[in-house]
Amino acid sequence: MLAAFYERPGPAREVLQLGELPDPQPRPAEVRVRMRWSGVNPSDVKSRAGSRGPTLPFPRIVPHSDGMGEIDAVGAGVPTGRIGERVWLWNAAWGRADGTAAQFTCLPATQALRLPDGVPDEAGACFGIPALTALHAVLTDGGVAGQRVLVAAGAGAVGHYAVQFARLLGARQVLATASTPAKQALARDAGADVVVDYRQPGAADQLREATQGQGVDRIVEMDIAANAALDLAVMRPGATWAVYGSGAREFQLPFFPLIAQEALLRFFIVYHLRPADRARAEGLLHDFLMRGVLRHNIAQRVPLRDIVRAHELVESGQAGGNVVVQVD
Ligand SMILES: NC(=O)c1ccc[n+]([C@@H]2O[C@H](COP(=O)([O-])OP(=O)(O)OC[C@H]3O[C@@H](n4cnc5c(N)ncnc54)[C@H](OP(=O)(O)O)[C@@H]3O)[C@@H](O)[C@H]2O)c1
């Protein structure tokens, strides 16, 4: 099969290769998926770049945890009726050598979920990380019904879904940050009531004013290191700070405002969702997909042969949404 892979960490154009690898065969309890689309996330790019350490956990890694395709073979114990099913995948490259940037991947049958009819193929490559991260950020710690919610990066791969999920799950007001007018429009189209450019000096004041001075009940944060001061200025007492990213490895937080606000600081990583949380998020996602109420912000579709460009786009932070690689 044709696959993208790397055998040492480093810059995309130095280490990513395209070549033939043996077709994988499903083991017991696994399915084999003929990939159509492979989703590229910042996490895949950081792993390839070596930010998780100078050595790889496997001699060769086919990158990307997210993807969409069709089951074409099953291992022992998996019903043959699943052959032909359109599926979306999660955690394909988390703790595993064989991700989705290849013509085939084998993985546990439980990590290949039926894609509801009518959902575009390439959207299925955006669920495992972006959509489930966004859903968990709004579901955790009691959910967002009746809340004022601030979503950082309302046009980002995760943020764009988070705005929609907050809206769909009953938030009273959804606020978002985004830099350019085009990104602000994306966040507004996703359902944000108020969108503010986080780079402007008066951003915190604008956000607070938009809440009539009340502050927000929940912040869905993609870069706590960069946005801590803004977040602290706009949260109301008892707010939940749902943090899924940081632009810096280390950062400082001031003790007094946090204790005075009695803030709940919730860090999480989507790869480690507990089974009950994952099941709840997947159930809701499928419900929204079947109702056809979600927009998918696919910014770039890149052929597998241009895998380096796909990684560099994600690395730049300027893709303006999800980057998906066409495999078939
Ligand atoms: N914990 C987890 O499980 C998990 C899951 C998914 C992602 N992540 C992490 O979350 C981060 C975002 O992921 P993503 O896939 O959504 O990335 P993305 O699609 O590249 O989105 C990043 C967006 O953030 C905006 N941005 C940059 N700095 C910002 C700031 N200080 N405040 C507000 N917006 C800012 C960028 O646009 P502008 O600056 O032009 O507005 C861009 O639109 C990454 O670090 C990723 O590794 C973690």
Side-chain angles (χ1 to χ4, degrees):
M1 65 173 182
L2 187 64
F5 58 88
Y6 55 96
E7 295 172 336
R8 62 185 173 89
R13 54 189 55 238
E14 288 178 22
V15 302
L16 275 174
Q17 307 177 46
L18 205 57
E20 284 292 325
L21 297 180
D23 288 357
Q25 298 303 324
R27 291 175 301 189
E30 287 189 342
V31 293
R32 184 171 76 176
V33 180
R34 180 187 288 275
M35 298 307 306
R36 289 189 195 156
W37 294 92
S38 175
V40 192
N41 285 283
S43 170
D44 301 310
V45 167
K46 291 174 196 174
S47 296
R48 184 266 305 142
S51 67
R52 298 212 165 84
T55 53
L56 298 183
F58 304 100
R60 176 197 292 141
I61 291 179
V62 174
H64 308 168
S65 277
D66 285 358
M68 178 275 161
E70 187 179 305
I71 295 176
D72 84 328
V74 296
V78 181
T80 51
R82 291 204 68 184
I83 293 173
E85 200 176 291
R86 283 167 83 232
V87 289
W88 64 272
L89 312 185
W90 55 271
N91 279 12
W94 183 244
R96 293 165 33 88
D98 304 313
T100 64
Q103 283 177 313
F104 296 98
T105 194
C106 289
L107 80 178
T110 48
Q111 287 173 235
L113 301 189
R114 176 187 281 279
L115 190 64
D117 292 344
V119 178
D121 282 359
E122 56 267 57
C126 308
F127 298 157
I129 294 179
L132 288 200
T133 301
L135 252 177
H136 189 69
V138 297
L139 286 170
T140 188
D141 301 297
V144 293
Q147 292 191 345
R148 291 192 165 94
V149 181
L150 169 62
V151 176
V158 176
H160 189 259
Y161 278 125
V163 168
Q164 297 179 73
F165 293 140
R167 185 92 280 159
L168 287 162
L169 292 168
R172 154 189 192 177
Q173 187 181 27
V174 182
L175 305 96
T177 58
S179 59
T180 61
K183 287 183 179 178
Q184 292 174 9
L186 270 170
R188 237 178 250 108
D189 290 347
D193 302 297
V194 176
V195 186
V196 166
D197 182 350
Y198 64 91
R199 302 166 308 173
Q200 299 302 318
D205 291 341
Q206 284 180 52
L207 288 164
R208 269 203 87 84
E209 276 165 29
T211 66
Q212 286 79 46
Q214 299 289 302
V216 300
D217 304 285
R218 177 175 302 240
I219 301 173
V220 177
E221 184 52 77
M222 51 76 67
D223 188 345
I224 191 173
N227 295 334
L230 181 139
D231 290 355
L232 283 164
V234 301
M235 67 173 61
R236 64 177 296 167
T240 300
W241 205 358
V243 178
Y244 64 90
S246 171
R249 282 176 173 273
E250 293 187 14
F251 55 88
Q252 288 191 323
L253 291 176
F255 172 68
F256 190 71
L258 279 167
I259 198 162
Q261 295 284 47
E262 299 188 59
L264 172 63
L265 184 48
R266 161 70 61 197
F267 288 96
F268 72 94
I269 184 158
V270 72
Y271 296 124
H272 293 175
L273 286 186
R274 285 185 302 236
D277 289 336
R278 178 171 292 283
R280 175 176 63 167
E282 286 169 356
L284 274 168
L285 175 65
H286 279 213
D287 178 44
F288 296 144
L289 291 171
M290 287 188 289
R291 285 164 49 197
V293 293
L294 287 184
R295 289 165 186 249
H296 310 288
N297 178 20
I298 296 174
Q300 303 279 343
R301 295 166 176 78
V302 179
L304 184 62
R305 66 175 179 278
D306 290 341
I307 181 88
V308 169
R309 182 161 65 86
H311 272 227
E312 289 178 347
L313 269 167
V314 172
E315 217 149 32
S316 75
Q318 290 310 312
N322 295 275
V323 176
V324 291
V325 168
Q326 184 161 22
V327 179
D328 65 351

